[in-house]
Amino acid sequence: MHTIRHTPGRTIHLYGNALTEHKTHSINDEHLHDLLLEATKTAIEGAYGFGVDVPVGAATSENGRILAADYAKDNLIGDERAHAEYMALQKTHELHHNASPDTIGVTLEPCFNCQKYISDNPSIQLVTFVLPIAQASLRNIVRKKNGDIFQKSEQGELPFTVVQFEDAQLAKIGGLLLDFTKRDLETKETTVDLLGLHRALPAEFRL
């Protein structure tokens, strides 16, 4: 559908299969920020709580109301599907049986498997994230991939709008979470330097 690298304050209107800029916009900057802030706080919670997975968080919403948030647990629970997006959507349906989440926000660009899983949830119309997955591959946390979610979206392979939400503070926190994470690409064993992370995080984000 649509692909947007979105800076808060830019006025965007989405409808049908067209994307134009107008005086009004249907992308609510405040809501996307709040959703991604919730995802970021959840990622930090995962890092502090266990520190055995890449600290990625995701949060869902419906009609501007945040429904649920969770963090990656694939190593923790021994299920390779259990990335943050999967966990957040599972939690959404556990907590809200009749929910139809229309938006999911993630601290890191969804991987190919998560893109497919999100696509299998037909109510999701918008996927937003802060950091591109290339930031994780630069730190040797994930293998470098050919292409990204933007290319797949622009080729019509994804049934939802993709928005990279540009926010300096959220990007900084997301970068710190990756900076203090080490992952063996063969075994997928992951460790988080919690002491280093704690010292680096702004006080308001420390647990």
Side-chain angles (χ1 to χ4, degrees):
M1 291 181 69
H2 310 300
T3 302
I4 312 157
R5 289 173 173 86
H6 179 55
T7 302
R10 178 186 176 196
T11 55
I12 294 175
H13 182 67
L14 295 172
Y15 58 92
N17 288 318
L19 169 62
T20 57
E21 296 197 14
H22 289 285
K23 292 181 181 179
T24 60
H25 61 86
S26 59
I27 289 184
N28 186 309
D29 289 344
E30 183 177 357
H31 172 62
L32 290 192
H33 177 270
D34 290 348
L35 187 68
L36 290 164
L37 178 61
E38 185 68 20
T40 298
K41 290 179 176 178
T42 303
I44 294 171
E45 179 185 339
Y48 273 79
F50 299 99
V52 296
D53 286 288
V54 179
V56 176
T60 62
S61 68
E62 181 179 2
N63 295 325
R65 180 173 70 98
I66 296 177
L67 298 174
D70 213 335
Y71 48 83
K73 298 178 181 176
D74 39 308
N75 285 340
L76 180 65
I77 66 175
D79 185 342
E80 63 182 14
R81 300 173 301 173
H83 289 189
E85 300 91 330
Y86 178 89
M87 297 305 302
L89 284 165
Q90 289 289 310
K91 190 172 183 178
T92 298
H93 295 301
E94 289 172 5
L95 296 176
H96 309 279
H97 300 296
N98 297 318
S100 296
D102 50 47
T103 304
I104 184 166
V106 196
T107 57
L108 186 68
E109 174 189 339
C111 68
F112 292 160
N113 288 338
C114 288
Q115 292 171 30
K116 183 179 185 306
Y117 178 72
I118 295 170
S119 297
D120 291 337
N121 286 260
S123 65
I124 296 293
Q125 299 298 309
L126 176 65
V127 174
T128 183
F129 66 93
V130 180
L131 292 179
I133 201 166
Q135 291 296 316
S137 63
L138 285 172
R139 295 166 170 85
N140 294 315
I141 294 173
V142 300
R143 297 186 189 281
K144 185 177 180 180
K145 305 291 185 182
N146 292 324
D148 59 19
I149 195 170
F150 292 115
Q151 291 174 316
K152 292 188 69 175
S153 178
E154 289 162 358
Q155 292 167 1
E157 298 179 24
L158 301 175
F160 44 74
T161 297
V162 179
V163 173
Q164 181 179 355
F165 191 82
E166 297 181 353
D167 180 275
Q169 183 185 53
L170 295 179
K172 176 182 177 181
I173 301 302
L176 288 173
L177 287 168
L178 298 180
D179 285 341
F180 291 95
T181 298
K182 291 184 178 180
R183 184 170 184 257
D184 187 308
L185 295 178
E186 297 297 331
T187 67
K188 299 183 180 179
E189 181 179 351
T190 305
T191 57
V192 177
D193 176 3
L194 183 54
L195 181 59
L197 176 63
H198 182 79
R199 288 173 174 169
L201 283 173
E204 63 268 28
F205 285 93
R206 296 173 185 164
L207 299 183

